[in-house]
Amino acid sequence: MIRRSVQALTAYTPGEQPRDPDVIKLNTNENPYPPTPRVAAVLAGWDPAALRRYPDPVSTALRDRIAALHGCRRDRVFVANGSDEVLALCTRAFVENDGAIGYFEPSYSLYPVLADIRAVDKRPIALDAAFAWPVDAAGAWTLPADYACALFFFTNPNAPTSLLCPAAAVRAFCERSAGVVVLDEAYVDFAREDNMALALDRDNVLVARSLSKSYALAGLRVGYAVGAPPLVRALDAIKDSYNLGALAQALACAAVEDHSAMRANVARIVATRERLVRGLAALGYRVLPSETNFVWARPGRLSAQEVFDGLRARRILVRFFDGPRTRAFLRITVGTDDQVDALLAALAAIEQEDRT
Ligand SMILES: Cc1ncc(COP(=O)(O)O)c(C=O)c1O
């Protein structure tokens, strides 16, 4: 009854969503601050009677707002139920059954699951021991000459490592790729630079963005992609007719319009990130230079698993990925200053407890 490929699938494991409101949740890269008050205003004025009607199937107003934000035409914009939906649709639109999907390792652990759902080959490229991309000193990619795939997910900044690949290397990667490259920029608003320019001038690049992190709307489920009109048309052809609800469209419009509120929110988080990095370094952690709203940190003495368990016992959740490349590290979301202080105090207590 159930397809063999589905029976064999190891499903994606999302971060834990505890019911207890007192838990300090630094495990899923959510924004600790609310979205712009304009979102609250639209919600307060929302007439439930409007829900009798189906929504605009192509989210015209939202696409227009996003197009204005990026200085492009609406036919370059696709919107979806979270950027996860963008990624899933790409695997259906751009990969034949005998094609392959590529990504770096470690990066977003959803990509191999999406490839398994499509039952197509996976071609991961390993990052080096320092989680850097395989690029030589001259900026050239050191990939096997025959490396190719129909679709490549390039997470930048990367998750869970928080590092940013320089724009010149990203461009070179897209230029050497014959297939579609999706630049997954879920965290890019927290970084120094982005690669939206590539989506606007290359015909094989889509930039995927999320409203879940910098816009503080993870619960709304809105993401989008920008790229060449033929790629956007392909996604439109296969999406669910009404993939974004009316309320999601209206609230996302309000959020995207208030770009300055998003920038202010990001600035707060970036300031707290620096404080978190300093605090972790003082505790002997090795912390990679973060360009995201989380840090990737390796405890100095205890194992990451021990620290994860110690924090959990103190009702602080962070993320631990138990893979060969990832199990020495913890991914810690940047929360409020108070949450970060509580985290640092708990980490100090865990160290202390272990010494006594
Ligand atoms: C790299 C990356 N891409 C995409 C997503 C999905 O974001 P969304 O909430 O828009 O589906 C995430 C979520 O954690 C992510 O880490």
Side-chain angles (χ1 to χ4, degrees), residues 82-84 87 108 111 155 159 184 186-187 210 212-213 221-223:
S83 61
D84 278 349
L87 307 177
Y108 187 26
Y111 309 139
T155 330
D184 182 343
Y187 299 100
S210 172
S212 299
K213 324 285 178 181
R221 309 304 303 130
V222 179

Side-chain angles (χ1 to χ4, degrees), residues 204-343:
N204 68 331
V205 175
L206 279 169
V207 166
R209 295 271 180 102
S210 172
L211 268 62
S212 299
K213 324 285 178 181
S214 54
Y215 287 95
L217 287 171
L220 195 63
R221 309 304 303 130
V222 179
Y224 64 91
V226 176
L231 301 182
V232 169
R233 279 198 297 278
L235 296 174
D236 269 324
I238 61 167
K239 76 175 182 66
D240 281 354
S241 313
Y242 304 105
N243 65 331
L244 266 193
L247 193 52
Q249 292 183 33
L251 299 184
C253 277
V256 170
E257 266 170 5
D258 199 354
H259 192 67
S260 61
M262 182 276 275
R263 292 307 326 167
N265 184 322
V266 164
R268 278 175 95 179
I269 292 169
V270 168
T272 307
R273 179 175 79 197
E274 302 318 315
R275 178 191 178 119
L276 172 60
V277 169
R278 279 195 305 275
L280 288 171
L283 288 168
Y285 281 59
R286 180 182 151 220
V287 189
L288 272 67
S290 171
E291 299 266 355
T292 59
N293 68 336
F294 58 87
V295 298
W296 185 236
R298 180 181 184 143
R301 213 168 48 83
L302 297 170
S303 73
Q305 174 85 68
E306 284 168 322
V307 176
F308 173 84
D309 292 340
L311 288 172
R312 205 184 152 76
R314 290 167 171 79
R315 303 210 297 174
I316 299 177
L317 291 184
V318 298
R319 196 84 196 258
F320 170 69
F321 297 97
D322 192 9
R325 301 290 313 278
T326 51
R327 67 169 63 99
F329 286 77
L330 294 170
R331 193 195 70 186
I332 306 173
T333 304
V334 180
T336 62
D337 284 331
D338 285 352
Q339 289 175 326
V340 162
D341 288 347
L343 170 85

Side-chain angles (χ1 to χ4, degrees), residues 164-198:
L164 182 75
C165 185
V170 178
R171 176 172 288 274
F173 187 91
C174 296
E175 283 168 357
R176 77 173 291 296
S177 302
V180 174
V181 180
V182 173
L183 300 176
D184 182 343
E185 294 195 334
Y187 299 100
V188 85
D189 291 321
F190 303 95
R192 267 174 296 142
E193 62 185 19
D194 68 67
N195 284 289
M196 189 53 85
L198 287 174

Side-chain angles (χ1 to χ4, degrees), residues 27-64:
N27 65 334
T28 51
N29 300 341
E30 290 150 335
N31 198 305
Y33 304 112
T36 162
R38 293 194 200 177
V39 167
V42 172
L43 198 54
W46 187 266
D47 176 6
L51 294 175
R52 287 181 302 109
R53 295 250 166 99
Y54 282 106
D56 173 0
V58 289
S59 308
T60 313
L62 179 55
R63 288 193 208 217
D64 280 342

